[in-house]
Amino acid sequence: MVDQSKLEAFFGLPNQVAFCKSCVISNQRPSSTVEFKHTRNEKKATIGFNEQGICDACSYQQVKAQEINWKDREDKLVALLDRYRQKSGYDVVVPGSGGKDSAFTSHVLKYRYGMNPLTVTWAPHLYTRIGWENFEAWCHVGGHDNILFTPNGKLHRYLTRAAFHNLLHPFQPFIVGQRIIGPMMAARFDVPLVMYGENQAEYGNNVDDNYVPTMDRKFFSTQDPLEMVLGGEKVSDILEKTDFTLNDFAPYIPPDASYLQSKNVEVHYLGYYLPWDPQECYYYAVENTGFQANPERTPGTYSKYSSIDDKIDMFHYFTTRIKFGIGRATYDAAQEVRNGKITREEAVHLVQKYDGEFPAKFYEDFLEYIDTTDDEFWATVDQFRSPHLWKKDGTEWTLRHQVT
């Protein structure tokens, strides 16, 4: 019998693995989705569990169901929107891809509350067919103006490759841009209100963030751009060894908090004001915005309608399973248990069936995009397998702990 307490845990993760007694998430889930450094030896905060073994996300779901006065919250939303409503031009910036969540957010703001949103999109690495069709439907069926912002492809590929090899986090540059694009465009077009959909705190990020309607401005730091770390490398180091210039990094540098304040830009979450349910967002988006689910389920999970616009998205979830033992099916199933769509027993079955599935469909596209061979891919992956999570039986890697 292996003594779990003596096995090394990368990222400062809890050495003893535990699963939520209400959903299927484990205590290895990181509590931040934006990871600038995140090397194997850097401590990573994780989701909290109470004394009864219930995770923060499930505990907050009970708060949503039993303690929040949603009529009062909606009244606050109407008052907020009235404050920013313009006689002409745009009233609010809605960042998104045209997926179910951003389609819901922009459509509700426009057609239920009478706002005129400007939608803005940080382009995926590699559009899927269904992703592009849903993006077009968002504009043409949903009826929205849109700015599609595509970052310097040469630099974005470089950063994505670096993030994969240095952090095993190929989505990090995309997530940074996705967080920045809304406030950046709001400041540029003098639209002081930005509305994202749900706050990731609902799913296990800092639980205290659920009780405030706005994005923490700490993200919009005054850090020297040369000292920023993207893809696990300092910008200054990248400049020294490449032909990129500091100007090339402009889309990745958060607008200064004081600059946003001078422009009166506020960043809010619609999920603070309206009860957020991803599956209900899907139904709404299908009915009102022309959104389509994928004809086939996403590799690594059972769902067909979440994060389906980028060929690289599934590799993000593959790498979270390597680092934290948590794959796409776990994230999907945990969320659906909390929203009462499936039982925990059903979730356990789905996780056991799909969580370990390798996303082979776009594997060759991914390797080409990050200029990496198959051998290099697996060598990098195996470096990030924490001994307290993984064991090797012959040539096969298996997780030491499975949800039951």
Side-chain angles (χ1 to χ4, degrees), residues 45-56:
T46 56
I47 190 172
F49 276 52
N50 66 20
E51 294 179 355
Q52 289 72 46
I54 307 299
C55 74
D56 282 347

Side-chain angles (χ1 to χ4, degrees), residues 101-378:
D101 296 330
S102 53
F104 171 83
T105 298
S106 58
H107 196 275
V108 161
L109 288 173
K110 182 167 186 173
Y111 295 101
R112 184 183 300 176
Y113 297 106
M115 299 293 279
N116 184 27
L118 171 64
T119 64
V120 296
T121 301
W122 178 275
H125 300 83
L126 297 169
Y127 262 110
T128 61
R129 179 192 61 79
I130 194 69
W132 181 252
E133 289 180 359
N134 282 330
F135 171 73
E136 288 198 309
W138 190 29
C139 302
H140 299 302
V141 179
H144 298 299
D145 293 349
N146 176 269
I147 294 175
L148 174 60
F149 186 92
T150 305
N152 178 332
K154 183 178 179 182
L155 177 58
H156 202 57
R157 289 179 69 163
Y158 176 94
L159 293 175
T160 302
R161 184 183 193 281
F164 173 76
H165 287 284
N166 295 331
L167 310 174
L168 201 69
H169 187 10
F171 237 42
Q172 189 234 29
F174 175 85
I175 292 174
V176 171
Q178 189 181 47
R179 288 284 298 274
I180 290 172
I181 190 68
M184 180 189 296
M185 290 300 178
R188 183 172 294 271
F189 287 92
D190 292 319
V191 183
L193 178 62
V194 181
M195 190 72 73
Y196 283 85
E198 80 274 45
N199 189 332
Q200 290 297 310
E202 286 209 19
Y203 307 131
N205 287 8
N206 184 358
V207 66
D208 292 338
D209 289 346
N210 283 311
Y211 298 93
V212 292
T214 54
M215 183 184 290
D216 188 349
R217 276 187 172 167
K218 290 179 182 178
F219 179 74
F220 306 105
S221 67
T222 56
Q223 181 181 7
D224 180 352
L226 291 173
E227 295 299 308
M228 277 190 64
V229 178
L230 290 168
E233 300 177 10
K234 276 188 178 183
V235 170
S236 58
D237 292 337
I238 298 173
L239 294 179
E240 284 185 11
K241 63 183 179 181
T242 68
D243 295 331
F244 297 119
T245 68
L246 185 57
N247 286 339
D248 292 326
F249 286 85
Y252 305 91
I253 299 172
D256 187 270
S258 61
Y259 172 71
L260 292 180
Q261 188 171 2
S262 72
K263 290 281 192 174
N264 298 314
V265 172
E266 290 190 11
V267 184
H268 288 248
Y269 294 104
L270 187 62
Y272 175 84
Y273 300 101
L274 303 177
W276 195 266
D277 185 324
Q279 192 162 336
E280 297 304 317
C281 289
Y282 163 66
Y283 295 141
Y284 182 97
V286 169
E287 183 176 349
N288 295 284
T289 73
F291 179 83
Q292 304 175 71
N294 224 357
E296 56 189 14
R297 65 176 179 81
T298 301
T301 190
Y302 57 92
S303 70
K304 298 180 178 181
Y305 56 75
S306 295
S307 300
I308 56 176
D309 57 335
D310 195 331
K311 293 180 179 180
I312 291 180
D313 186 89
M314 59 192 69
F315 293 96
H316 166 56
Y317 287 97
F318 169 76
T319 58
T320 66
R321 188 170 189 270
I322 297 299
K323 292 183 293 186
F324 311 120
I326 301 171
R328 183 58 181 273
T330 296
Y331 283 101
D332 288 346
Q335 172 267 119
E336 292 201 343
V337 169
R338 294 177 201 126
N339 287 310
K341 308 302 182 185
I342 60 176
T343 65
R344 188 179 190 278
E345 182 180 10
E346 290 170 321
V348 168
H349 173 73
L350 291 167
V351 170
Q352 291 176 346
K353 184 173 182 178
Y354 295 116
D355 217 44
E357 182 180 28
F358 181 71
K361 181 175 181 179
F362 297 123
Y363 183 49
E364 293 301 322
D365 297 285
F366 180 55
L367 292 182
E368 181 181 356
Y369 187 83
I370 62 170
D371 190 23
T372 296
T373 66
D374 178 69
D375 287 343
E376 291 170 335
F377 174 90
W378 289 108

Side-chain angles (χ1 to χ4, degrees), residues 391-397:
K391 62 181 178 179
K392 197 170 187 179
D393 298 322
T395 60
E396 298 294 321
W397 287 98

